Amino acid sequence: MNSEHAIITDQLTKSFGSFTAVDHISFEVKRGEIFGFLGANGAGKTTAMRMLCGLSKPTSGSATIAGFDIYKDTEKIKTKIGYMSQKFSLYEDLTVKENIRFFGGIYGLSNKALKLQTNKLIDTLGLESQSGKLVASLPLGWKQKLAFSVAVIHEPSIVFLDEPTGGVDPITRRQFWDLIYEAAQRGITIFVTTHYMDEAEYCDRVSMMVDGKIAALDSPEKLKLKYNVESMDDVFYHLARAAKRGE
Amino acid sequence: MKQFMIFVKKEFKHVFRDSKTLLMLFGLPIVQIVLFGFALSNEIKSADVLICDHANNNYSHEIIHKISASKSFEVKRVTTDHSEIEEAFKQGSAKIAIVIPSDIEDQIFHSTHGSLQVISDASDPNTASTLTSYISNIIMDYKQTLNAGNSPPMQVVPEIRMLYNPTLKGATNFVPGVISLVLLLVCVLMTSVSIVKEKESGSMEILLVSPMNPFTVIISKAVPYFFLSLINLTVILIMSVVLLDMPLNGSIFLLYFESSILILCALSLGLLISNSTDSQQAAMLISLMGMLIPTMLLTGFLFPLENMPLPLQYFANILPSKWYFIIVKSIMIKGLGISAIYKETLILIGMTVLLLFISIRKFKIRLS
């Protein structure tokens, strides 16, 4: 097992009946890397990510997350990862502070650490005046930033972000990515799915999923060079056009 | 354990911050008690009586006095005109009429078969027969007090004692029913909705990815509703004892113990429903349609089970509320101990264990 790698998958497959959502994918994600996981809707991104998080059991193949096997060590993996889902998933009827303390608490942070982290987080996000307000009253951009900060509150080895910036304006998206860079600098591996190709440019490496398989995997620069195009948008079109699965 | 406490605290916050849930939780039992206690009662209070008094002497006055003293009747009018009776029925100004013959005195002391006429409006047959039997009781009672000193004529008089509920109060029947209804409804509905809510909002995924044990999640979801249901039970009990003069003859401890079993049973059922559905609406619909209606109709507190067709009677056996209803009646009204209701208790425990077992088996640790 290579300790340089945060995620290793080997022939990982998930079938639902006769439909193979994820088809024998093999890839590695290095520690501390920002790894973009791209693909059209229905390409199998979310299913693959759910298997890596332990939310879905693979049909076949193997994978290790932070050095732990996804079949045998699910409990150990859980303490090593953070997860932020497509849907906004903080509790709207709890205040900012209560949400932070709750999620910190279920990750087993001590009271002292919890207090420290809560204050630090509120300070970093500039939410001092909002900390006692219900999350429901925050604008979407703030919620997403808060959700990300909560997902990494326990300093996981890897954080999985499932389309974290959906529906967020460009400025907030930029700020969101600042948070991602910051976390990556602290050594947290970022595994992110997105539909925004400008975000793909921010990643160290990206993979493109087409019809359940990984069609390409490299740094954005090399991919653009390889397909001889100007932007990641064009790379995406080039690859996704070949898809046989409908939306 | 610490995670558990944090989670329970969060659940309480959810409950207390949602005015709809709170209203449902505490409004429901109060509305039910008031509704069944005062509005929807099958007891008859202040039925209008028309009396046609042909005797107009001490005895007839005393009979009239006795009738008007009863809570069930209100003497609207005393007349001597026979034709007024039919008129009153037609207008609906009387439910029952009594004709006292002019020789009432004779009849009381000498006759073996007196004829005091009782006419009732039988367009509502249940009310009519209840009213006539109330009247006969009053007359019989009066006759016996008059005859007390004398050697009674040879006759057999059935001496009726209504055990456990001598005044035939409706509350004794419906309060246990309302308790089981409210406990079931609150627990099944609230737990299933609160778990499905987490699935819908996506927070369930976050919880399942976290190191928190999924069973801890489920149990801590149930804890607040368990305690709130006990509070609910207390509210209903206080209301029914204070407002409705409901007796509480048996052990309160035993009552709470049995109620806890029903609550656990309902919580497991709520859990099962939440496992089988992904939307709050579906969970609500299943809980309401699947629980409220059978519980209302087949527990035995609105309609006697004995009168139902056999298949329905058998079906009622799978409702936890049926058994709980028997238990509560036995404890509150008859003042019985555990030895009298161990069979029902075991059935309830069996149901709870079975439901819990199925729902835990069905609970998906991984979402797909």
Side-chain angles (χ1 to χ4, degrees), chain B residues 226-238:
Chain B
F226 182 82
F227 284 109
L228 292 169
S229 299
L230 288 180
I231 295 175
N232 247 331
L233 174 69
T234 313
V235 171
I236 300 176
L237 285 180
I238 292 174

Side-chain angles (χ1 to χ4, degrees), chain A residues 116-183:
Chain A
L116 206 75
Q117 281 290 341
T118 310
N119 291 337
K120 203 173 102 190
L121 215 153
I122 289 174
D123 194 45
T124 327
L125 292 176
L127 280 171
E128 289 89 350
S129 57
Q130 319 275 326
S131 70
K133 285 195 183 152
L134 294 187
V135 166
S137 68
L138 293 185
L140 182 67
W142 283 112
K143 289 183 190 170
Q144 301 296 79
K145 282 190 267 183
L146 182 62
F148 175 76
S149 310
V150 165
V152 296
I153 193 166
H154 55 296
E155 290 293 314
S157 310
I158 307 158
V159 62
F160 292 91
L161 309 172
D162 190 4
E163 288 175 31
T165 53
V168 169
D169 67 72
I171 298 168
T172 316
R173 251 167 57 203
R174 184 67 241 192
Q175 292 170 338
F176 191 88
W177 274 87
D178 287 341
L179 285 177
I180 293 182
Y181 279 130
E182 218 174 279

Side-chain angles (χ1 to χ4, degrees), chain A residues 50 91 93 98 106 109, chain B residues 2-3 14 17 198 205:
Chain A
R50 292 168 68 87
Y91 293 103
D93 54 349
E98 284 166 346
I106 65 169
L109 262 61
Chain B
K2 194 187 147 215
Q3 288 177 331
H14 284 321
R17 282 182 192 169
E198 300 246 9
E205 290 189 353

Side-chain angles (χ1 to χ4, degrees), chain A residues 15 191 202 226 239:
Chain A
S15 315
F191 186 96
Y202 304 149
K226 186 177 169 190
L239 289 165

Side-chain angles (χ1 to χ4, degrees), chain B residues 62-82:
Chain B
E62 210 157 324
I63 289 174
I64 295 169
H65 177 75
K66 286 230 173 229
I67 292 171
S68 57
S70 151
K71 268 190 191 167
S72 309
F73 298 104
E74 192 165 328
V75 176
K76 272 282 157 180
R77 211 174 130 67
V78 180
T79 169
T80 49
D81 183 1
H82 218 283

